[in-house]
Amino acid sequence: MQTSAIRHYHASRIFHAIRLTPGISQREIARKTGADKSTVSTVIKGFEAAGLIDRTLRGSDNRPGRPGEGIFISSKGWLLAGVYFHPDRIDCVIGGLDGTILRTSSDIMPFEPARVGGIVNKMMIATCAGLGRSASDLLALGVSVPGLVTMAGKVARSPNLGWVDVELRDILEKSVEVPVYIDNDANGAALAESLLGAGVGLDHFIYVESGSGVGGGLVLDGSIYRGASGFGGEIGHNKIVRNGRECHCGKRGCLSAYVADYALLARAHDKSLSVSSVSDLAALADSGDAGALDIFCEAADHLGIGLANIANTFNPSSIVLGGLLSRYSRHFVERTKEAFTALAISAVADVCDIQPSALGDGPPLGALAIALYGCTSSEASDVTPWHLGNEAVSESTKK
C-alpha cells in the first residue's frame, strides 16, 4: 500500500474516532484505532493545522498529574450539505462534520429535472447564509434519491419522481461548486445508521425501511454493497408470495406489496376501516381494533419472511428497521421477530438482532451521511477535510 494511502487510512479512522467520541484523548484514539502514538500525534497536528479540531481540558480523569486534553471536531470548520428529492419538494440540510444538523430549508420540486441544479445551488447558498456562513465553507454535497441510482450518479428509474435515465450528477455539477455524492434514499439511511445510529461499530448489518415502498441498504464488511450497477439492496422487490399482490414496480408478490404504506391502506380498505393514513391505522390498532391489529400482524409476518431470506443469504449481526417500521415498531418488531426466528436458519437467527432505527423521527440524516461518508471514509478521494487544509497540513501529515 502506498504511503499516501496509509496516511489517508489512518486519518479517516482517527477522524471518525473523534467524531464518535467527542472529548476523546490521544491515548484513547490510539487504543480505539490501533494506530501507534506517533501516527496519532502526527495526524492530530495536521487536523489542528487545518482547523478541523478543538482541544479542551477535560479534568483530571481521576489520574494524578496535569488535566488531560479532550479533542472535538470543530464547530467552526467545514460544512456539509445534503438534499432530498421528494415528488413535491426539495429539502436541504446543512450540517457539521460531526453529523449534527445545523439548518434546514425546502423549496418546490421543479417539473423539469434540468432545473434541479440551479435550485439546489440557491438553496445551499441561502441555507448557509441563514447560519451566518458562506457556501464556500461547504466541503461536499450528498444527494438522496428515491429510486435506482447508478454508481455514476444517473437516476435510472424513480417512479416517485417520474424520472427515467436522468443524468443527475451532470445536472448538479453544472451548478454547484463542491464534490457531489449521489445515492438512493435507502442506502443513505443505511449510511446514517452506520455513521450515527444503530449501526455504529457494526461491520455487517442490513437496513430496511418502509414508506411508499420498502427499501434496503446492505452494509457488508463496513461498506455499502451496491452490486454491479449500483442497484444492490432492493429488498422490497424480493418475491415472498408467488403470483401475489401487484407491486408498484409492476411485478407481483414483492415484499413492498405487503408492507409499504399503500399496501397497509389497501388492506384497511378491504376491511372497510375508515383511515386515510398509516398513522390513523396505528391509532386504531392502539385502541384495540381487531381489524387494524390483524393488518399489522399480517404485514409483520410477511416482513419476517423477507428478512429471513435476506439474513440466510448475508448472515448479518443486526437488522435495523426504519421509516414506518420504526415509527410503529410497537406493531412490527415483536411479531416480525417471531416470524423471522421461525424461518431463518437457527445459527443465523441466533446472532442477528432486529431493532428499530436509533435516529428517530427528526430531520432525515441520509443525504448528510452520504456527503460525510463520501469525503471522510477510507475510500474517499483526495477531497477530504485533511487534504484541503493549508501547506502546514500537507507537511505535518507526511510520514
Side-chain angles (χ1 to χ4, degrees):
M1 186 180 290
Q2 294 182 351
T3 302
S4 60
I6 295 173
R7 258 196 331 265
H8 175 56
Y9 171 80
H10 285 306
S12 176
R13 288 178 60 81
I14 290 168
F15 172 84
H16 285 289
I18 298 169
R19 183 183 63 78
L20 290 169
T21 314
I24 193 172
S25 69
Q26 289 194 194
R27 180 185 291 109
E28 291 166 338
I29 291 171
R31 186 169 64 249
K32 280 181 175 288
T33 63
D36 61 53
K37 289 190 282 188
S38 174
T39 297
V40 172
S41 177
T42 298
V43 171
I44 291 297
K45 287 178 182 176
F47 284 2
E48 194 164 31
L52 288 179
I53 60 170
D54 294 323
R55 298 176 187 258
T56 185
L57 295 180
R58 57 178 204 167
S60 65
D61 291 339
N62 296 317
R63 292 193 296 266
R66 296 191 307 169
E69 279 190 332
I71 301 171
F72 300 78
I73 300 298
S74 175
S75 61
K76 302 170 187 173
W78 294 102
L79 298 174
L80 300 171
V83 296
Y84 299 77
F85 293 126
H86 305 269
D88 60 342
R89 72 182 193 279
I90 302 173
D91 290 341
C92 178
V93 177
I94 301 296
L97 288 178
D98 59 358
T100 300
I101 291 178
L102 302 174
R103 194 173 181 87
T104 64
S105 63
S106 295
D107 206 334
I108 297 171
M109 183 71 169
F111 180 76
E112 307 88 354
R115 294 182 54 210
V116 162
I119 293 173
V120 166
N121 190 52
K122 289 178 182 177
M123 292 179 74
M124 290 164 54
I125 293 170
T127 312
C128 285
L131 288 168
R133 301 286 294 272
S134 166
S136 63
D137 293 332
L138 289 170
L139 179 65
L141 166 65
V143 183
S144 174
V145 182
L148 299 177
V149 181
T150 72
M151 287 183 282
K154 180 173 80 171
V155 181
R157 185 171 181 269
S158 175
N160 285 5
L161 302 180
W163 289 0
V164 176
D165 292 334
V166 172
E167 298 286 354
L168 184 57
R169 182 182 300 282
D170 291 346
I171 291 170
L172 290 169
E173 288 183 342
K174 289 176 182 177
S175 298
V176 305
E177 298 182 357
V178 294
V180 178
Y181 303 94
I182 304 172
D183 215 326
N184 77 22
D185 53 353
N187 280 349
L191 281 174
E193 294 292 344
S194 180
L195 294 170
L196 304 160
V200 169
L202 299 180
D203 286 335
H204 303 275
F205 77 92
I206 294 170
Y207 175 83
V208 182
E209 66 179 11
S210 182
S212 58
V214 173
L218 309 176
V219 177
L220 307 177
D221 288 326
S223 298
I224 290 283
Y225 176 77
R226 294 184 172 82
S229 304
F231 308 149
E234 286 297 321
I235 291 169
H237 300 294
N238 280 336
K239 306 301 180 281
I240 59 169
V241 178
R242 182 174 176 81
N243 297 322
R245 298 176 195 161
E246 186 173 357
C247 177
H248 282 178
C249 73
K251 306 294 184 180
R252 288 189 172 275
C254 297
L255 181 61
S256 286
Y258 293 84
V259 180
D261 57 5
Y262 68 85
L264 299 179
L265 293 177
R267 292 294 292 140
H269 180 266
D270 292 343
K271 290 177 177 287
S272 300
L273 298 179
S274 181
V275 297
S276 59
S277 66
V278 178
S279 177
D280 292 343
L281 185 63
L284 265 185
D286 289 337
S287 73
D289 183 272
L293 288 168
D294 282 347
I295 290 170
F296 281 110
C297 286
E298 180 187 69
D301 286 344
H302 285 102
L303 179 61
I305 295 170
L307 297 187
N309 289 335
I310 295 296
N312 285 343
T313 304
F314 293 104
N315 185 205
S317 59
S318 183
I319 297 175
V320 180
L321 304 180
L324 67 83
L325 304 178
S326 173
R327 194 171 307 123
Y328 308 113
S329 60
R330 61 193 181 277
H331 297 306
F332 278 105
V333 173
E334 293 309 315
R335 182 80 177 213
T336 297
K337 286 180 178 179
E338 291 175 10
F340 174 81
T341 302
L343 295 168
I345 299 169
S346 296
V348 169
D350 288 346
V351 299
C352 184
D353 178 41
I354 297 177
Q355 60 180 316
S357 166
L359 299 178
D361 266 345
L365 285 162
L368 204 62
I370 291 169
L372 179 60
Y373 183 85
C375 67
T376 64
S377 75
S378 57
E379 306 164 16
S381 68
D382 59 358
V383 184
T384 66
W386 42 90
H387 280 107
L388 293 181
N390 55 29
E391 288 298 317
V393 181
S394 177
E395 291 302 317
S396 68
T397 56
K398 287 180 181 177
K399 186 171 175 64

